Amino acid sequence: MSVKHPLLPKAAYGSESRPPKCLYCSGESFTLLFAGIQDRLRHVPGEHTFWKCEGCGSALLVPMPAESELGAFYPAVYSFTLETQKQSQLKQLLAAVEYSLFFQPQYFGQALQVLNHIGRRPQGQRKLLDIGCGRGLRLLEYRKRGWDVHGSDLQADVVRYLNDELRIPAKTGGFSEVTHLFPAASFDLVTSYLTFEHIPDVNEGFRLCWELLKPGGWVAVLVPLIDSAQSDFFGKSWVNITEAPRHLSIPSQNGIENACRAAGYEAVKTLHDHPLGIAGAFALSAVPAGNSTQLYGSGGLKPLLFRVLGAAAMFAGLGFAFLDRWQGQVPAHGLILGRKPD
Ligand SMILES: [Zn+2]
C-alpha cells in the first residue's frame, strides 16, 4: 500500500517486494511475518511490513527506507528525558520518580553487566564511546566507574546538552559517520544501546565499531530479539514491531551473533538485558498509550493515566523477564558482546 507522507520520497514505499538479502546472514529466502503494522506513536502514517529470513529467523522491514529519510521518522520527544523544566510540576515529579525507580537502576545494571563481562584492563584510564547515546544517562554510569566517556547522537540538541550540561564530549552524527567523528583504534569499549535495529546496514555497523576499537577492545550492542518468548507472546502488537518504520530490522539471537562473528569479533556472547529494560518493553506492548512521547511530548492527564497503567503492567513484565532468564530462553532484549582480537 502506498504511503502519503509529505517528507518521504514516494519511491521508498509502496512496494510489496521481498527483502533482497538478510542483513544478518545474507540469506535470500523470506516468508511474510507481519503486514499492516502501524507506527505505535502515530508519527509516520501508513502501514508497514516485516518479512522473516528463513535462514536465521531475523525480521526485516520492507521496503527498507534510505538513510536520508530516517530522521523524519522521529518525533521531537522520542525518548525519556530529565529536561522537563517547561512541563508541569506533576510531570517534573513523575520524571524524577521514573528516573530513580526505573531508568537509573536499569542503566546502573547495564553498565555493571558490561564491565563485569569484559573485566578490567590493567593500565591507564579506559575510554568508551556510546553510539546513539541519547541524553547520556548511561554514560553517566560508566563515568562514575572511572571511564573516560564519549558519545555521538543524531540529534544536535542532545549533543549540546551532553557537552554543556553533563560535560561529556559528544559529537553530532549518524551511525555511518562515527569513524569520521572519532579517531580510529582509540576506544577500549564501544557500546550501542537499542540502535542496531534502527540502522540500514548492520554489518557496516559492526565494521565501524571495529574500526574505532583498540585491539583487545569490546563491542556491546543491545537489541530486541525476534525469537524471544515476549515477541511470540505479543506478535504483531510487540512494541519492537509497532516501532516500524523506525525499526528497520529485529534480529534473532543467532542472526546477530553470526553478524558479529562475521565482522571478525571473537568470544561472541548474548546476555539478558536488565530485567527492568525487558519489563519496560512488555509494559509498552501491553499499554501502548503509556509511552514517554505521549506523556512528555503532549499535555493532558490521559497520557499520565496510561503511564501509570503501564507501570502496573511492568510488574507482570518483570516476572516474565526473570522466568526467561531462569529458563535460559532467548531474551526479549539481548546484549551482544564481542571482542576485537589483539
Ligand atoms: Zn538471515
Side-chain angles (χ1 to χ4, degrees), residues 142-200:
Y142 286 95
R143 186 164 71 179
K144 280 184 208 161
R145 282 153 192 85
W147 281 71
D148 173 19
V149 299
H150 300 252
S152 78
D153 203 274
L154 203 54
Q155 290 179 286
D157 64 318
V158 161
V159 169
R160 213 173 302 120
Y161 174 77
L162 259 77
N163 282 311
D164 298 348
E165 304 294 326
L166 303 180
R167 303 284 167 210
I168 291 175
K171 292 186 174 162
T172 309
F175 208 116
S176 59
E177 296 163 275
V178 283
T179 49
H180 303 297
L181 301 175
F182 301 94
S186 59
F187 293 96
D188 300 282
L189 173 61
V190 173
T191 57
S192 201
Y193 290 91
L194 300 175
T195 306
F196 266 56
E197 66 276 22
H198 295 263
I199 61 174

Side-chain angles (χ1 to χ4, degrees), residues 22 25 53 56:
C22 175
C25 76
C53 167
C56 72

Side-chain angles (χ1 to χ4, degrees), residues 275-299:
L276 280 173
I278 290 178
F282 183 96
L284 280 176
S285 307
V287 189
N291 65 69
S292 49
T293 302
Q294 304 282 357
L295 177 58
Y296 298 108
S298 64

Side-chain angles (χ1 to χ4, degrees), residues 7-21:
L7 296 169
L8 302 175
K10 280 181 195 140
Y13 278 94
S15 158
E16 294 295 334
S17 61
R18 295 169 185 224
K21 212 164 105 177

